[in-house]
Amino acid sequence: VESLERPRLRRRIGELARATGVTVRTLHHYEQVGLLRPAGRTEGGHRLYDETDVERLYRIRALRALGLSLDDVRRSIDEGRTLTETLRRHLVRAEDEAARATALRDRLRRLCSAEDGPVEAEALVATIAAMSRLERHAHARRRARTGQSERAARRWRELAVELRACQEAGEAPGGARGRALAARAQALIHAFAEGQPTVVADLARVRAVDPPHDLAGWDPELMRYLDRALGALTNEGGGQPC
Amino acid sequence: VESLERPRLRRRIGELARATGVTVRTLHHYEQVGLLRPAGRTEGGHRLYDETDVERLYRIRALRALGLSLDDVRRSIDEGRTLTETLRRHLVRAEDEAARATALRDRLRRLCSAEDGPVEAEALVATIAAMSRLERHAHARRRARTGQSERAARRWRELAVELRACQEAGEAPGGARGRALAARAQALIHAFAEGQPTVVADLARVRAVDPPHDLAGWDPELMRYLDRALGALTNEGGGQPC
DNA sequence: TTGCTCCTCACGTCACGTGAGGTGGC
DNA sequence: TTGCTCCTCACGTCACGTGAGGTGGC
C-alpha cells in the first residue's frame, strides 16, 4: 500500500556515496563480492539504489566500523543473525586482539625502559627471540588444556603474596624461607616447561624484563628477588642449572 | 685472522630455516625484497648462508616479532639505528594500536551489555554510525590542535568530580546545582562540536552507551545523571533541543 | 639410480585506492 | 555541445602460503 503512495526513491551511485560517506569504488566492490546489489539499472547501465539498499549499506558500514570483515558481515546478514548476536560473536575476537595489542605494547615499553641502560644488541635480540618462543609454548599449552593453567595462575598468585611478605620482612632471598618458596616456583616452572630445557632457559632470560602479564601480583622487582632465591637454590643443590 | 682458523660455516636454506623456525619461502621472500641476501651460491645455484646472514636473520625475526613491518626493519638496519632507538620509535605505533584495539573492545562490550535488553536494529545501527562520525570528528580536532583538547579534558574531569558530589549528596539532576553544572557541560559540548549540530546530536545519542574513554572519572551512570540535568536545562530555557 | 632438497615462476589473500580508456545523462 | 558522472577492466598493497614443473647433491 505504502509503496504506491511513496514512489521508490532511487539514487545513483554518486549520490549514495556522498550521503553515506563511502567511495564509489567501495560500492562497486560490495557489488563485486555480492554484498550489496543495486535494485536496478538505467537503460544506459547506471546503477540505481533503492531504500532497502540504503538500509543494507548502513548496516554493512556499522558492522565494518566495529571491525567485522566483509565475510563476517555477509554471514551475519545471510544467516539472519540479530545485531546483538553478531556483536557478541565478534566481541570474542576483539577481546583477543586487544589483549594481543596491549601485550605487545607492554613488552615494548619494558624493553625500552630497561633500567640497565642500553643493553647490547645481541642480548636484546636473544631476549626477544626467547619471548616469542615462550609465547608459542604458552599458546600451545593454553589450547591443550585450560583448567590446569588456571590452577597454575592461582598458585603463582599465592606464591607472590608469600614471597612479597618474605621480601618485606627484610629476609635475604637465599635464606631458608626464600629457598623454600623458590623450590615451589621451580616446580611450577618445570610444570609449565613440560620438560623442555629451552623453555626453562628462555623463562630465566625473559622473566625479569617481561613478567608474564597473566600473573597478577608480580612486578619486575619481585621477579628479581625470586631470581636471587632461585640462584641460591641451585647453588645449594650443586646440581646442573636446571 | 680468525676467519682463517674458523672456516666459514655455510648453511643451505633448509638447514637455516629449520634452525631459526622460519619457512624456506620466507627466506626466498626476504631475498626478493632485498632484506637478506645469502653470502653465496653453489655451482648448481643453491643458496649458501654464512654467520653474518644468520645474525641478520635473527635481528629481522626479532623485530618482526615485535610488530615491525619488513620496511621498518629494512630502514632500521640500513640507517644503522640502535635497537633501543628502533624500539622507541615503534612503541609510538604500538601505543596507538593498543589504544585503538581496547577502545573497540570496550565499545563492543558496552553495546553487548546494553541493559535495555535487545535494542532494535535500526537504533543500534544509528548509534554505531554516530560513534564513527564522532570518532572522525575527534580525530580531526586532535590533529588540528592538541593543547586545547588537554584543557578540555581537565575541565571534564573537574566537572565529573563536582557532578558526582552533587549526585552523592542526593540532589536531583534538575536542581539548581545540577543545572549549573549541566550548563558548563553544554558549553564544553558546543566547543567540541565547533558549531556542527550533527555532532551535538551524535554526542547525545552515543554518550550513555559509549562515554569517551579519554574522559577519566566518567562512567555510564554519571553520564545518565548528566543527561537528566541537561534535559532539565533545555526544558527550562524553552529553547530548541539543539 | 632413488629420494630429498633446492630452484624459479606465479597465483591467492583483504578491502579497497588509483588510474586508464571510454560512454551516459542533464 | 560541453562538463560531470558513470561504466568496466586491471594493477597495486603486505608478508608470505601454496602449488607447479623442473633440477641439484649426497
Side-chain angles (χ1 to χ4, degrees):
Chain A
V1 184
E2 255 206 11
S3 61
L4 288 175
E5 300 177 23
R6 182 151 55 111
R8 286 306 210 183
L9 180 60
R10 311 195 131 206
R11 307 159 187 245
R12 298 172 66 196
I13 198 168
E15 296 172 70
L16 181 58
R18 249 170 291 129
T20 57
V22 307
T23 69
V24 168
R25 173 65 177 118
T26 296
L27 294 172
H28 283 169
H29 184 64
Y30 290 172
E31 180 171 0
Q32 203 175 334
V33 300
L35 242 191
L36 181 65
R37 256 176 286 268
R41 298 252 182 167
T42 67
E43 296 167 14
H46 288 197
R47 279 164 257 251
L48 291 174
Y49 294 88
D50 75 12
E51 282 301 320
T52 315
D53 298 330
V54 176
E55 272 170 41
R56 194 176 168 100
L57 177 57
Y58 271 117
R59 179 176 284 233
I60 294 170
R61 292 313 298 184
L63 293 178
R64 282 286 296 144
L66 291 174
L68 279 82
S69 72
L70 290 186
D71 258 5
D72 295 336
V73 173
R74 191 210 323 279
R75 269 190 292 273
S76 163
I77 297 183
D78 285 358
E79 298 176 14
R81 290 187 200 139
T82 69
L83 270 179
T84 34
E85 165 65 10
T86 302
L87 298 192
R88 214 180 303 279
R89 279 179 192 234
H90 187 60
L91 177 57
V92 179
R93 260 178 286 172
E95 300 268 11
D96 277 4
E97 180 54 26
R100 230 185 43 76
T102 56
L104 188 61
R105 180 202 60 189
D106 293 341
R107 181 165 307 169
L108 275 166
R109 277 184 184 166
R110 283 196 217 93
L111 287 172
C112 283
S113 72
E115 322 85 19
D116 339 358
V119 198
E120 319 121 66
E122 289 266 347
L124 196 45
V125 168
T127 303
I128 297 168
M131 279 176 179
S132 39
R133 278 196 300 271
L134 282 179
E135 199 163 283
R136 274 199 299 276
H137 181 77
H139 196 73
R141 252 181 78 89
R142 227 173 297 146
R143 71 172 42 198
R145 59 242 133 146
T146 177
Q148 207 171 15
S149 75
E150 273 169 35
R151 274 204 304 283
R154 188 160 42 77
R155 296 221 177 105
W156 277 109
R157 275 198 304 276
E158 290 164 5
L159 204 54
V161 171
E162 294 188 53
L163 196 67
R164 196 177 295 276
C166 177
Q167 182 193 20
E168 283 172 357
E171 294 180 33
R177 192 161 150 213
R179 290 209 306 279
L181 291 171
R184 280 168 54 191
Q186 208 167 42
L188 286 173
I189 289 170
H190 281 287
F192 172 81
E194 296 175 333
Q196 290 174 248
T198 336
V199 175
V200 177
D202 285 343
L203 269 175
R205 172 182 277 280
V206 164
R207 66 187 164 223
V209 64
D210 187 37
H213 58 284
D214 49 347
L215 294 186
W218 287 87
D219 56 38
E221 200 198 345
L222 191 62
M223 215 35 116
R224 279 194 295 275
Y225 189 82
L226 174 62
D227 262 347
R228 292 208 297 278
L230 281 166
L233 193 68
T234 53
N235 289 341
E236 165 195 71
Q240 297 117 6
C242 58
Chain B
V1 185
E2 254 209 8
S3 61
L4 287 175
E5 300 178 22
R6 184 151 53 114
R8 286 307 211 180
L9 179 59
R10 312 196 131 208
R11 308 161 190 241
R12 300 172 66 197
I13 198 168
E15 296 173 69
L16 181 58
R18 248 169 292 129
T20 58
V22 306
T23 68
V24 168
R25 173 67 179 117
T26 295
L27 294 172
H28 283 168
H29 184 65
Y30 289 171
E31 180 171 1
Q32 204 174 334
V33 299
L35 243 191
L36 182 65
R37 256 177 289 269
R41 299 252 180 166
T42 66
E43 296 167 13
H46 288 197
R47 278 165 258 252
L48 290 174
Y49 293 88
D50 75 10
E51 282 302 320
T52 316
D53 297 330
V54 176
E55 273 170 41
R56 195 176 167 100
L57 177 57
Y58 271 118
R59 179 176 284 232
I60 294 170
R61 293 312 298 184
L63 293 178
R64 282 285 298 143
L66 292 173
L68 280 81
S69 71
L70 290 186
D71 257 4
D72 295 336
V73 173
R74 191 211 322 278
R75 269 191 291 273
S76 163
I77 297 182
D78 285 357
E79 298 176 13
R81 291 188 200 139
T82 68
L83 270 179
T84 33
E85 166 65 9
T86 302
L87 298 192
R88 215 180 302 278
R89 278 179 192 234
H90 186 60
L91 178 57
V92 179
R93 259 177 287 171
E95 300 266 10
D96 277 4
E97 180 54 27
R100 232 184 41 77
T102 55
L104 189 62
R105 179 201 59 190
D106 293 341
R107 180 164 307 169
L108 276 166
R109 277 185 185 165
R110 284 196 216 93
L111 286 172
C112 283
S113 72
E115 322 84 18
D116 338 357
V119 198
E120 319 121 66
E122 289 267 345
L124 197 45
V125 167
T127 302
I128 298 168
M131 280 177 179
S132 38
R133 277 197 301 271
L134 282 179
E135 201 163 282
R136 274 200 297 278
H137 181 78
H139 197 73
R141 254 181 77 87
R142 226 173 297 146
R143 71 172 43 199
R145 58 242 134 146
T146 177
Q148 207 173 12
S149 75
E150 273 169 34
R151 274 203 303 282
R154 188 160 42 76
R155 297 222 177 103
W156 277 109
R157 274 197 304 274
E158 291 163 5
L159 205 54
V161 171
E162 294 187 55
L163 197 66
R164 196 177 295 277
C166 177
Q167 182 193 19
E168 283 171 357
E171 293 179 33
R177 193 163 152 211
R179 289 208 308 278
L181 292 171
R184 282 167 54 192
Q186 209 168 42
L188 286 174
I189 287 171
H190 281 288
F192 173 81
E194 296 174 333
Q196 291 174 248
T198 337
V199 175
V200 177
D202 285 344
L203 269 175
R205 172 182 276 282
V206 164
R207 67 186 163 224
V209 63
D210 186 36
H213 59 283
D214 49 346
L215 294 186
W218 289 86
D219 55 39
E221 199 197 347
L222 191 63
M223 214 36 112
R224 278 194 295 276
Y225 189 82
L226 174 62
D227 262 349
R228 291 207 298 278
L230 281 167
L233 193 67
T234 53
N235 289 342
E236 163 196 73
Q240 298 116 4
C242 343

